Amino acid sequence: MSKISSGTTTATGLVQTSDTTGNLELQTNNGTTAVTFDTNQNASFAGDVSINNGNYLSSQPTFRNLIINGDMKIAQRGTSATGLTSSGYFTCDRWRFLAANVGTWTQTQDTDVPSGQGFTSSLKMQCTTANASLTAGSNGSIITRFEGQMLQHLKKGTSNAESITMSFWVKSNKTGTYIITLYDGDNNRIIAKSYTIDTADTWEKKTITFAGDTTGAFDNDNASSLHVYMWLMAGTDYTSGTLQTTWHGQASANWAVGQVNLADSTSNYINITGVQLEVGSTATPFEHRPYDVELARCQRYYFYLDDQGGVTNQVINAGFMYDTTRGRFFVTFPTTMRTNPTIVSTNITSSIEFNLNGTGVFAPSAVLPFGASVSVNGVLLQGTADSGTGSAGESRYVRIAESGAKIEFDAEL
Amino acid sequence: MIETVKNMKDANGTLTGYLINGTMSVPLDESNTDYQAVQEWVAEGNTPADE
C-alpha cells in the first residue's frame, strides 16, 4: 500500500492503493494528492502549510528578543577601553557601563563565549584597580535602555500586562549573588531578582522571569522607558533595604540587595553574552539575528564615519564650496536615528578633504552642523578652512584622505 | 562630563545648538540626552558662552 485516500462517501471511507514507487501519498477527495513522502523521507505539500492556526510558533518567532546586541557582536566604538572609572558607552553597542566609586575597569569585546551556542563575542569587565570598601553611593552595572515605543506590546499598566523573561550567559571568577533590576523610568518603578554564579570561571546560563506590571504604562515615544541593570557591585545606598522582587515604586535601598562586590580584587572579571528579554514566562533559545540587521538596529543609536581601519581616500559624499573658505557636505544616516544626534568630530585637520579632480584640495580644520540642519535622517556639515581654498559653488567630493579622522553621530538613550 | 558649553548660532544669530567641550555639537532636541545634560548644567546655575 502506498496511497491512502479519503473517500467521498461514507461507504468508501479510506481507500488504499498499491504501487511500486516506494512513495507514500496522502490524498483527499478520493484521489487528489495532498502530501507525498518520497523514498528519501522528504515531504512535499501540494497546498499551503499552516501550523498552529497560522502561528509558526506559540510565541513571536522573530524579533522576540527585545534586547539589541544581546550577543555583543556589534562594537562600533571599539573593542577595548581601559582606565574606566565613570559611566559611558565604550565597546559593545547599546550596553552602557554605569560606574561611580567602583575602582577602575577595562571593558572589552571578548572572544570568550560559551561553547556550542553560536556566539562569537561577549562583553568582559576586568577590574584593574580594586575597591574593596565601597562607599554608600558606590554603584556599578552594565545597563541597556529601551524606547517606550518599542515596548507597547508588553501592555504595562493594564490588567493584561505581560510577564517577561530574561536569559543570558555569564562567567566570572567571583561566585555568589548578583542582581538584575528593571527600572521603569516613566513611572519610577522597579522590580529586581537575584541569580547565583555557582562555579568560578565557568559559563552558566541564567533565566529570570519578571511578572507583568499592571501599574504605570510606558510612554509611547522615543524616550527611555525601561532600563535593565545587570549589577556588578553596589554600596549600601542600594543594598540596605529589601530586594524589591515585585513591581513597586522605587526606593534606592531596594535595588541591589545581596549583590556581591565584583570590585574587591583586581583578579575579578565577568563575561556576559546571549542576553535575551522576551514576552512570557519561558526562555526560548537565543535569537541569532543577522549581523547587518543587528548593526542597523544599533545605528539607530550610534554610528560613525572614519577610515575604516586605515583605508584612506574613502569618499564620504558629494560636497560643494559655499565660499572660498567654507565647504559643505551632506551625510545621510544609514538608518533613521532615534532622535537628532549629537555630532562629534575629531582629528579632522589634514584628514578630511574637499577634492576637485585632484587639482584642488580644500581641507577643513573642523566640521560642524550647518545651522539647524541636523535631523534624524541626515545633516549638512560645514568645514572651515585649515588649508586650501575653493570657489563658491564648486562641486567637490569629500573624502577621508588620511587615517585618524572620525565623525560620530550619537542618539543613545 | 561637561566642562564648557558654547552657544551655536546661525548667520541670523538664532541659537541652533550647543558645543560641549569644544567637540560635541548638540542639537536643540529635548530627546537628545546631551541636550538634557546641558539643561541640567544650566539648571545648576551655569550659562553657555557665546561663540
Side-chain angles (χ1 to χ4, degrees), chain A residues 38-179:
Chain A
D38 68 16
T39 54
N40 294 317
Q41 294 75 51
N42 298 313
S44 61
F45 296 80
D48 295 334
V49 177
S50 177
I51 300 174
N52 190 22
N53 294 320
N55 296 311
Y56 172 61
L57 294 170
S58 58
S59 59
Q60 188 178 350
T62 56
F63 290 96
R64 66 185 183 280
N65 188 2
L66 297 168
I67 302 275
I68 297 174
N69 201 29
D71 53 1
M72 313 295 179
K73 64 187 170 192
I74 309 296
Q76 295 185 83
R77 294 172 181 83
T79 57
S80 179
T82 60
L84 305 180
T85 58
S86 58
S87 305
Y89 291 92
F90 299 108
T91 63
C92 298
D93 281 52
R94 304 297 349 271
W95 292 97
R96 179 177 173 87
F97 179 42
L98 212 58
N101 299 316
V102 291
T104 307
W105 294 80
T106 291
Q107 184 183 88
T108 52
Q109 183 196 39
D110 200 28
T111 56
D112 187 359
V113 294
S115 63
Q117 302 300 316
F119 299 118
T120 58
S121 304
S122 64
L123 184 152
K124 181 177 183 179
M125 298 299 305
Q126 174 70 56
C127 183
T128 57
T129 301
N131 183 349
S133 301
L134 299 176
T135 63
S138 292
N139 66 91
S141 55
I142 300 296
I143 75 167
T144 190
R145 297 165 170 158
F146 302 84
E147 300 173 49
Q149 62 191 358
M150 304 290 196
L151 304 171
Q152 296 302 303
H153 60 299
L154 300 186
K155 292 169 278 189
K156 190 173 180 300
T158 76
S159 58
N160 296 319
E162 300 276 7
S163 297
I164 51 178
T165 295
M166 184 169 171
S167 55
F168 54 95
W169 289 85
V170 63
K171 174 182 174 181
S172 175
N173 65 301
K174 191 172 184 67
T175 59
T177 300
Y178 291 72
I179 305 296

Side-chain angles (χ1 to χ4, degrees), chain A residues 222 338-343 369 412, chain B residues 23 25 27 29 31-34:
Chain A
N222 64 346
R338 180 187 67 86
T339 192
N340 298 341
T342 295
I343 299 172
E412 262 295 355
Chain B
T23 59
S25 172
D29 184 336
S31 296
N32 181 295
T33 54
D34 294 312

Side-chain angles (χ1 to χ4, degrees), chain A residues 14-36:
Chain A
L14 288 176
V15 178
Q16 300 178 5
T17 306
S18 299
D19 65 27
T20 59
T21 62
N23 295 342
L24 173 61
E25 291 184 13
L26 301 179
Q27 300 178 335
T28 58
N29 302 320
N30 199 18
T32 302
T33 299
V35 185
T36 301

Side-chain angles (χ1 to χ4, degrees), chain A residues 145 222-223 338-346 368-369 371-372 374 376 410-413, chain B residues 8-10 15-17 19 22-35 51:
Chain A
R145 297 165 170 158
N222 64 346
R338 180 187 67 86
T339 192
N340 298 341
T342 295
I343 299 172
V344 182
S345 61
T346 51
L368 291 170
V374 62
V376 294
D410 191 336
E412 262 295 355
L413 287 165
Chain B
M8 299 173 66
K9 296 180 178 179
D10 64 16
L15 184 69
T16 60
L19 188 64
T23 59
M24 299 171 60
S25 172
V26 179
L28 303 180
D29 184 336
E30 294 182 356
S31 296
N32 181 295
T33 54
D34 294 312
Y35 176 84
E51 284 184 301

